[in-house]
Amino acid sequence: MFTPRGRGPAFAAAAGLTWATAAVLRAAAPGGRARWERENHAGLTVGLYWGPAAALAGALAAGRTAPAAAFAVAAAGACGAYDDVVGAGDARRGFRAHLGALQEGEVTSGAVKLFGISAAGLVAGTLLKERPLDKVLAGVVIAGAAHFVNLVDVRPGRAAGVVLALGAPGLLRAGAAGEVSAVAVGAAAAVLPEDLSGREMLGDSGAHALGALLGTAVVAGNGRAGLLAHAAAVVAAAVYGERVSEAARSALG
């Protein structure tokens, strides 16, 4: 892995890789432009290039410091991308809707994403922590953080802004927690101008990947008490997901 150590280099690597990857994807548009375009809440056509770019950049930039973070981010981004493509046009949202469909024998792209990201979080948690309970809590935090950032991705700039706000305090930490936080902040900072302008949207791929980065940074920097507190927070956010999304939707007008 070519990314150098340190919070500053990690930030720069994540931001630079996000910009470069987005430029390549926009120029190539694998599978055709239609696959990379969506209609946003205002009825405008926006691109989906920056979400996968942030996911790939986040995985690469975090990989040297924390391989488990690279795995979690890549898996979250891939599951999100699958839902972006296969689930396009599916109006069902939230755990209840997808689990309800599963009970009726339909495996939705949202259900694949739910179980895929949960499994990836648990694998990453197992790699990052030693004690069984800590492994489980770490998995909950990583998967829950990925879900939380996706919940707030309901208007331009909301998800990237949340990642910047929640990731910034982690920059004060030393070691892996600080470096993974820097990766999350760097990728979000690169995405924010395009996202906020309404020209691009993160999509599930970018939102879940950035959330997984935040979750991994939390896991790397916390012991049992911190993991319990953060696990409780992300579980509460999942339970009250509609309220979380509504709060994000109404924030800043």
Side-chain angles (χ1 to χ4, degrees):
M1 194 65 62
F2 59 84
T3 51
R5 298 256 184 189
R7 285 163 290 186
F11 176 96
L17 283 168
T18 300
W19 274 98
T21 305
V24 170
L25 289 175
R26 182 182 288 278
R33 298 287 171 189
R35 176 171 290 181
W36 295 90
E37 294 179 349
R38 294 291 185 275
E39 185 176 291
N40 69 3
H41 72 285
L44 302 175
T45 299
V46 298
L48 278 173
Y49 303 100
W50 286 78
L56 179 59
L60 289 174
R64 180 172 180 177
T65 298
F71 170 77
V73 173
C79 289
Y82 176 79
D83 195 30
D84 282 334
V85 174
V86 178
D90 189 344
R92 287 171 293 193
R93 294 291 183 270
F95 291 163
R96 293 188 184 92
H98 293 294
L99 292 177
L102 193 60
Q103 287 180 330
E104 296 177 1
E106 180 185 0
V107 181
T108 66
S109 59
V112 172
K113 180 181 68 174
L114 169 62
F115 289 108
I117 294 176
S118 297
L122 287 171
V123 171
T126 297
L127 295 172
L128 288 166
K129 295 298 181 182
E130 296 181 357
R131 297 180 178 179
L133 178 57
D134 292 342
K135 294 176 185 288
V136 174
L137 290 172
V140 171
V141 170
I142 294 169
H147 179 60
F148 170 74
V149 174
N150 192 53
L151 282 175
V152 301
D153 187 29
V154 290
R155 288 291 186 272
R158 300 302 195 270
V162 164
V163 172
L164 287 172
L166 296 181
L171 297 176
L172 301 176
R173 290 182 173 271
E179 291 185 35
V180 177
S181 294
V183 171
V185 171
V191 165
L192 186 60
E194 292 290 319
D195 187 17
L196 196 58
S197 70
R199 292 188 294 267
E200 287 280 336
M201 62 188 295
L202 276 172
D204 284 3
S205 178
H208 283 302
L210 290 177
L213 275 169
L214 281 182
T216 307
V218 167
V219 168
N222 282 273
R224 175 75 54 83
L227 291 175
L228 279 168
H230 284 88
V234 295
V235 168
V239 171
Y240 297 101
E242 292 182 7
R243 296 185 184 181
V244 171
S245 294
E246 183 57 37
R249 190 176 289 112
S250 60
L252 303 178

